[in-house]
């Protein structure tokens, strides 16, 4: 459950931003979670509700944007969708491919009053 | 005292919320774009700088529970403690059992209990090493919480992650938990003494590990009968040598 640690950092970032902007209520927060990041969105949602209690994020909406995994072959340059079980290039078989997206774990934006 | 992490009295990290305001209903939207591992990564960088100042080799040992991390450490410390100066940080959810086992070898050890936490993070390690005189150490061993998932994403400021896989676990672990084996630089395949009693295909295990991470170094050993331990010690000595020659 490293989703707890991930969720705490969402809350830290939002609390810090809210404090500096003088906001007392956060309506919502948008988070980008890449498909290769190892973070399970459903677990994140569960933690968000539990960890958000008593913070500025209590009652805030969590919007999770999934970012698909994509890889690029170092040998032939082919770009292709990848998941955590993609170890070789589907075009030429070279391995391992470079991950070009899907590892994101980012607070994108938040909505305050 | 916590200059890097600012864990007391008040947090102090910097965000970049560009002032893009969009009206959504009554609220206003702030663009944040901050990495969720950013704080851990900043603290890991601070740890790394601190370790580099002492030319300290730092290894982060990761594995499933029960792979033999602590047993490997015990034997390593007993065999090498007169040649190299060690310190050991032990991470577990509960108990100080492992730190006590390490301390029994005469090497400085400190236990970090993560409670509900499933991994060590850079903040815990930054405080954990306050218990040691780093100037008097060559190698810091950090034994992470037994878990093949979560510790992969949390940089502690180490030089290398060393993954331990015991042959009772099955040869396909690297395929099942690729992130951990991708993050590691060295794989120790432990409990080699049990090979005659198990259906474990060593060659397949190596192949799976290298499919996930082609640059992974692999050493097979048994901390029970000592087979292969010399290769691991040679690797350690080589890394310490490299470290000592690095500019701080």
């Amino acid at each position: 459950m490293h989703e707890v640690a991930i969720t705490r950092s969402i809350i830290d970032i939002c609390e810090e931003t809210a404090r500096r902007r003088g906001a007392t209520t956060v309506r919502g927060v948008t988070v980008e979670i890449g498909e290769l990041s190892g973070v399970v969105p459903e677990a994140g949602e569960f933690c968000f509700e539990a960890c958000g209690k008593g913070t500025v994020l209590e009652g805030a909406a969590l919007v999770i944007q999934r970012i698909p995994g994509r890889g690029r072959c170092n040998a032939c340059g082919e770009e292709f969708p990848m998941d955590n079980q993609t170890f070789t290039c589907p075009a030429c078989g070279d391995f391992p491919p470079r991950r070009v997206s899907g590892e994101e774990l980012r607070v994108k934006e938040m909505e305050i009053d | 005292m916590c200059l890097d992490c600012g864990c007391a009295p008040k947090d102090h990290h910097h965000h970049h919320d560009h002032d893009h305001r969009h009206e959504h209903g009554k609220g206003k939207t702030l663009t944040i774009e901050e990495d969720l591992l950013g704080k851990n990564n900043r603290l890991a960088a601070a740890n790394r700088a601190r370790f580099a100042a002492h030319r300290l080799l730092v290894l982060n040992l990761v594995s499933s529970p029960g792979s033999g991390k602590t047993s490997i450490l015990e034997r390593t410390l007993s065999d090498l403690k007169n040649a190299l100066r060690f310190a050991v940080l032990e991470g577990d959810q509960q108990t100080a059992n492992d730190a006590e086992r390490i301390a029994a070898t005469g090497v400085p050890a400190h236990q970090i209990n993560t409670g509900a936490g499933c991994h060590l993070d850079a903040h815990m390690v930054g405080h954990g090493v306050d218990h040691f005189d780093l100037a008097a150490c060559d190698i810091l061993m950090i034994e992470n919480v037994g878990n093949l998932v979560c510790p992969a994403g949390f940089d502690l400021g180490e030089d290398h992650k060393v993954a331990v896989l015991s042959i009772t676990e099955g040869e396909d672990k690297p395929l099942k938990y690729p992130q951990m084996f991708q993050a590691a630089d060295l794989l120790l395949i432990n409990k080699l003494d049990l090979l005659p009693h198990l259906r474990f295909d060593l060659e397949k295990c190596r192949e799976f590990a290298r499919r996930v991470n082609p640059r992974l170094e692999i050493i097979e050993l048994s901390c029970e009968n000592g087979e292969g331990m010399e290769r691991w010690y040679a690797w350690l000595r080589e890394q310490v040598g490299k470290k000592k020659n690095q500019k701080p």
Side-chain angles (χ1 to χ4, degrees), chain A residues 36 85 108 110-112, chain B residues 24 28 30 32 175 179:
Chain A
L36 307 175
Q85 291 295 310
K108 191 178 175 198
M110 69 185 223
E111 192 178 341
I112 59 172
Chain B
H24 284 295
K28 67 184 172 220
L30 304 176
I32 298 179
L175 298 182
Q179 285 184 319

Side-chain angles (χ1 to χ4, degrees), chain A residues 1-3 5-7 9-14 16-21 27 29 31-33 35-39 84-88 95-96 99 103-113, chain B residues 10-19 21-37 39 116 118-119 147 149-150 154 174-179 182 210-214:
Chain A
M1 285 295 280
H2 57 307
E3 283 78 5
I6 295 296
T7 307
S9 50
I10 297 176
I11 292 171
D12 283 352
I13 290 168
C14 292
E16 168 73 6
T17 309
R19 191 181 58 76
R20 282 187 300 106
R21 304 304 296 247
R27 291 168 166 256
V29 52
V31 178
E32 293 176 319
I33 298 182
E35 285 175 353
L36 307 175
S37 69
V39 169
N84 279 321
Q85 291 295 310
T86 309
F87 303 121
T88 55
F95 63 91
R99 294 173 168 198
E103 292 190 306
E104 296 81 358
L105 278 178
R106 211 157 40 206
V107 177
K108 191 178 175 198
E109 57 189 28
M110 69 185 223
E111 192 178 341
I112 59 172
D113 270 333
Chain B
K10 198 69 198 134
D11 220 325
H12 66 251
H13 54 257
H14 314 289
H15 305 299
H16 310 281
D17 55 325
H18 318 296
D19 201 1
R21 294 175 202 205
H22 311 282
E23 295 300 318
H24 284 295
K26 285 183 199 158
K28 67 184 172 220
T29 300
L30 304 176
T31 303
I32 298 179
E33 298 287 354
E34 175 150 342
D35 194 328
L36 287 172
L37 292 172
K39 184 174 178 186
C118 49
H119 57 271
N147 177 345
V149 184
C150 312
F154 290 82
L175 298 182
K176 288 178 172 169
Y177 299 92
Q179 285 184 319
Q182 277 158 351
R210 292 225 163 93
R211 195 189 299 174
V212 170
N213 178 357

Side-chain angles (χ1 to χ4, degrees), chain B residues 16 18 29 46 58 96 103 109 123 132 138 145 153 156 190 210 235 238:
Chain B
H16 310 281
H18 318 296
T29 300
V58 181
H123 185 217
F132 304 127
D138 301 309
V145 178
L156 306 179
N190 189 28
R210 292 225 163 93
W235 187 89
E238 189 192 335

Side-chain angles (χ1 to χ4, degrees), chain B residues 185-203:
Chain B
D185 295 315
L186 174 67
L187 170 63
L188 301 178
I189 300 180
N190 189 28
K191 306 192 187 178
L192 209 55
D193 52 297
L194 296 178
L195 201 53
H197 310 287
L198 301 169
R199 275 177 300 171
F200 182 90
D201 189 331
L202 206 50
E203 197 42 56

Side-chain angles (χ1 to χ4, degrees), chain B residues 26-142:
Chain B
K26 285 183 199 158
K28 67 184 172 220
T29 300
L30 304 176
T31 303
I32 298 179
E33 298 287 354
E34 175 150 342
D35 194 328
L36 287 172
L37 292 172
K39 184 174 178 186
N40 186 73
N41 291 341
R42 282 191 293 274
L43 295 175
N47 289 347
R48 192 165 274 120
R50 190 172 165 194
F51 301 150
H54 295 290
R55 299 184 187 192
L56 180 67
L57 176 68
V58 181
L59 303 179
N60 177 2
L61 273 76
V62 291
S63 79
S64 345
S67 67
K69 291 189 296 303
T70 314
S71 300
I72 290 173
L73 278 179
E74 281 178 308
R75 181 148 189 160
T76 304
L77 301 174
S78 299
D79 289 349
L80 298 185
K81 68 182 176 191
N82 294 327
L84 294 168
R85 299 169 300 170
F86 289 89
V88 180
L89 271 184
E90 281 288 339
D92 280 298
Q93 287 201 319
Q94 303 288 340
T95 84
N97 293 354
D98 284 359
E100 285 163 14
R101 282 171 62 185
I102 298 300
T105 66
V107 166
H110 177 72
Q111 182 79 46
I112 299 172
N113 283 136
T114 59
C118 49
H119 57 271
L120 292 176
D121 63 33
H123 185 217
M124 299 172 194
V125 167
H127 285 294
V129 295
D130 286 340
H131 294 265
F132 304 127
D133 176 8
L134 297 182
C137 295
D138 301 309
I139 305 184
L140 170 67
M141 297 280 202
I142 305 171

Side-chain angles (χ1 to χ4, degrees), chain A residues 15 49-59:
Chain A
E15 280 195 315
E49 211 183 311
C51 299
K53 290 223 166 75
T55 74
V56 291
L57 286 168
E58 184 163 345

